[in-house]
Amino acid sequence: MELFASNETVSTLEQASSDRTDVASIAMQIELAWYLRQRDGQRALRLCESAEQALSSLQIDTREQNQTQARIFLIRAESSWLKTDFQNARQQINSALQLFSAIADHQGQADGHWLAAQIETDAGEILRQQQELSMCMEEAELAQDQIRYEIANACMARHKVLRMRDPDEEQWVRHFESLSTQHNQGLSTWVFDFLGVQAGQYSDFATATTQLIRATEAALNSGQITRAIVISANICYSLAGLRDTEGSLKWGQHALQLARPKAWPISLGISLTQMADAFRKIDQLDSAKELLNEALQTLHKVTESRSYIIALRSLADIALAQSEYDNAHSYFKQLQEHPVAQLQQDFQCIALRGQAQALLHLNQSDAALVAAQTALAIADLNNYPDYQIASLCALADIFSTYPDLCKSELNEGKSSLHFLLQAVEIGEKIQDYAISDKLYARIADEYAKLEDFSNAYAYSLLAFSSREKSLNVDIKNSAIAMQLRLQTEKAVSENEHHKAIVEEQQRRATILEQANETLSVLGTIGQEITTQLQLDNIYQVISHHVNALLDATHFSIFLLDSTNSILTLTYGMEAGKRLPQHEFSVDSQIYYSSRCVRERHEILVDNFETVNAAAQLPDTLTMESLLFSPLIVADRIIGVMTMQSPRKYAYQERERLIFRTLCSYSAIALDNAHAYSQLMDARNQLVDQEKMAALGSLVAGVAHEMNTPIGNSLLIASTISERTKTLSNQIENQSLKRTELLDYLNNVKEGSKLILNGLTTAATMLSSFKQVAVDRNTEHKRQFNLRTTCQDIAASIRNRITNSGHELQLLIPDDIEMKSYPGPLGQVVTNMIENALLHAFADRSHGHMIIAAERYGTDQIRLQFSDDGNGISEKNIGHIFEPFFSTRFGQGGSGLGLSISYNIITSILHGQLNVKSKEGEGTCFTMLLPIEAPDMKD
């Protein structure tokens, strides 16, 4: 990620951005927000908020998490800095630096220190600013990022040449001139800005203006709006130095046009100050003072900044020009004592020279002399020729006003003429420096006072020559100014073009953002609609969202019947009231809904007055705008949806697009609901069939089990009957022997015992069958013993188990009492036994099944059904509880047994059902059931 990006890069990112919430999309959002931080700060903050919310739901590695969150902190810090909330900005930067440091992101740390340096600049903390820039350069070196390094280097060089002459200045100039061909707009901004400011320090206003115009273009193209404002204000100053008043005012106005919409205090304060200075130089002092007062009010929260002291200096100059000497002295004194000005020698020279001039007019000669001498010493030390000459002229004014000062031993040999000649000597040593004709004229006057008319005449000629040169310089400057004005107009034109591009990008981005938001909302609504499977729920959800998004005083849904010949109003709302059901033919020539079905496309009526009133449904309000859309699924039309409004022309393209989308989702949901209804009917029928089959199997099993004891009893009873008949005949023939009688009695006794046992067994089995049959056909909650219930279930199916050559074992304690639903529980156990017989022991015998139970905690039991059969394959085990899933369709499997069991366990018995199986090693179903099941709701 670059520190600054071109408008073209931002445009490309805008086009590629989306509202998706994957890691790559969030990274792109944050990159876009970073580049928009000065272009469109509010949107940048919205993007950060959106990304931050998405991050909370994503699983990403620590590095990406820290990088994203740290970058969000920096974007918010920049927003706070621009609003002069320095404390919050510093806190955000510290948070960002901690995250960047934790992952050794040197590029991120460089950006954090860069932003911190800008804050300290505006806060007037010059030493801290230098420290932050140095750390920025160190981190950029570690990141091997030459662009970031040179941007920080140029920024540091710029601030140093503003404060004082630096021994490295010439080396910097050569270095940055070699970088001026770089095509990186972010770096070009600072390189050209440095070269412009450096030239301005030597009063080379032509070079300064040229470089600063290039810097402005680069700043606007790289999104550095604050820099563009400051540089435009400096161009205003440079053009004033070329005496191009018109150009100066134009650039001042340009700076204000950039600054006012942003309302960033420091940027606005700088542009107001420079505009005021331009007015001061053309003697529009009242207008200048008004602008300066606004500037100082704007900068009242940042009185420690350089911007504030520049405004203060201009206000002092105006007070001096308007002969308000007390105010001027006060302002210049504040300027001298300001913490930032104390670190910048040029401001010290200005403040002291201004105090000297004010004190002179306040008749405080000694104080004025000390101030002027101190100003001269500072200017000499730093080799500031302009300030040297200005200070010497101030001293000349003092000695001219108070000639007795020359008599002092301390001032021996000094006079007004002495200082003026020194000023000329300094000016003559400077290449291409134009000594003012007024300075020569003052020297001539001083010589004339001394009656040295020869020198007076010589300096008068120099004054005349200087005036001519000044005129030539003015002409030259006018030509330069004209050339620069052309460049300026070109730059302004290009800036306007860039501004138009940016505005168009922002407009497109806004439209895209709105479209993305709408699509996102519609997507969420679509998910909500299509997840519903009950018609009433679908109608309510659709109606709610249509009314929330659109003007739908009337909203109706018409569905086709199975013959596709009749349309029925299945749901309708008008002004908050439900409409009665209504139906009509698809062939009707009156109703728009019929026409919409026949033509299979959208119908829009913008002005209902122009159509037949008979098209209105009975007992409904008159509407002016009507929109009908077919409900189509896979080329099948299933109905029509309409919304209507009492307003004319209520539905434009946006509303129609939203309604079409909702119709598409609604068609899918309604078709799914119809299919679901059919599926539920089929399922219920199959479930009933499954229950009847299970009951039939139960009856057959019980009948078989009862056949043996009853058959045996019948055989014994028949035998006893025959023996009784034989005995009766022997008695009649008087041929009965004692031994035969005793043998008969023994047989009857033994036979009666066998009959009693057989009938008792049959009665017990019949009782169990009756209980199981009742439980299966009712869902009655009662108290029961788990072991007894499972024994009854096993007895009802034992015949089938035995005939199949398998074995069922019960391992259930006698003391487990439950208050639940034995019928549904019995169906589950039976289903599992049947499932094992069909699947686990397919094509094999000697299978072993176990039903085991134990207490689980204080209020649950764990019931397990296991077998040592074939097991379930890994690919199938995840599907066994799904309806209609079977590996033996057509071989006795319906695919409903385990699905029904799962639903019974979870919904009726309020338990849990899990399965473990490995192919070839058997299967184990584990049920966790509450000892007392909750009552079922109706």
Side-chain angles (χ1 to χ4, degrees), residues 26-40:
I26 291 174
M28 189 176 294
Q29 284 182 30
I30 294 300
E31 185 175 7
L32 179 59
W34 176 247
Y35 297 146
L36 290 176
R37 61 194 190 276
Q38 288 188 23
R39 289 178 168 98
D40 187 351

Side-chain angles (χ1 to χ4, degrees), residues 41-52:
Q42 290 302 313
R43 182 160 176 245
L45 292 176
R46 289 198 303 273
L47 287 170
C48 287
E49 185 176 354
S50 173
E52 206 167 34

Side-chain angles (χ1 to χ4, degrees), residues 44 77 83 125 134 274 329 435 469 580 659 798 886 891 931:
K83 297 171 185 174
E125 299 288 346
S134 295
Q274 290 293 16
H329 177 260
I435 297 173
K469 286 181 181 179
F659 191 64
R798 187 173 299 280
S886 177
Q891 303 174 52
I931 290 177

Side-chain angles (χ1 to χ4, degrees), residues 765-878:
M765 292 180 66
L766 183 60
S767 176
S768 296
F769 166 69
K770 285 170 63 181
Q771 185 61 60
V772 171
V774 169
D775 286 341
R776 290 286 179 88
N777 287 280
T778 62
E779 292 179 347
H780 177 64
K781 181 179 175 181
R782 68 179 177 86
Q783 184 89 19
F784 62 91
N785 180 274
L786 180 61
R787 178 178 175 83
T788 301
T789 298
C790 289
Q791 284 177 333
D792 291 345
I793 295 166
S796 69
I797 202 170
R798 187 173 299 280
N799 180 61
R800 185 173 173 201
I801 296 170
T802 304
N803 290 343
S804 300
H806 305 300
E807 180 184 335
L808 176 64
Q809 183 180 6
L810 297 181
L811 300 177
I812 303 174
D814 294 330
D815 61 345
I816 297 180
E817 297 289 329
M818 297 182 68
K819 190 173 184 180
S820 187
Y821 300 91
L825 177 60
Q827 186 175 354
V828 170
V829 174
T830 302
N831 284 349
M832 290 185 176
I833 295 172
E834 294 279 2
N835 189 71
L837 294 176
L838 181 64
H839 296 282
F841 304 131
D843 305 322
R844 57 164 285 190
S845 58
H846 305 296
H848 189 65
M849 295 172 283
I850 298 175
I851 301 176
E854 63 179 352
R855 293 185 181 276
Y856 188 78
T858 59
D859 56 357
Q860 285 184 306
I861 64 106
R862 177 159 54 196
L863 181 63
Q864 288 185 320
F865 176 85
S866 60
D867 64 64
D868 58 356
N870 299 326
I872 305 171
S873 68
E874 188 175 344
K875 70 175 184 178
N876 290 335
I877 198 165

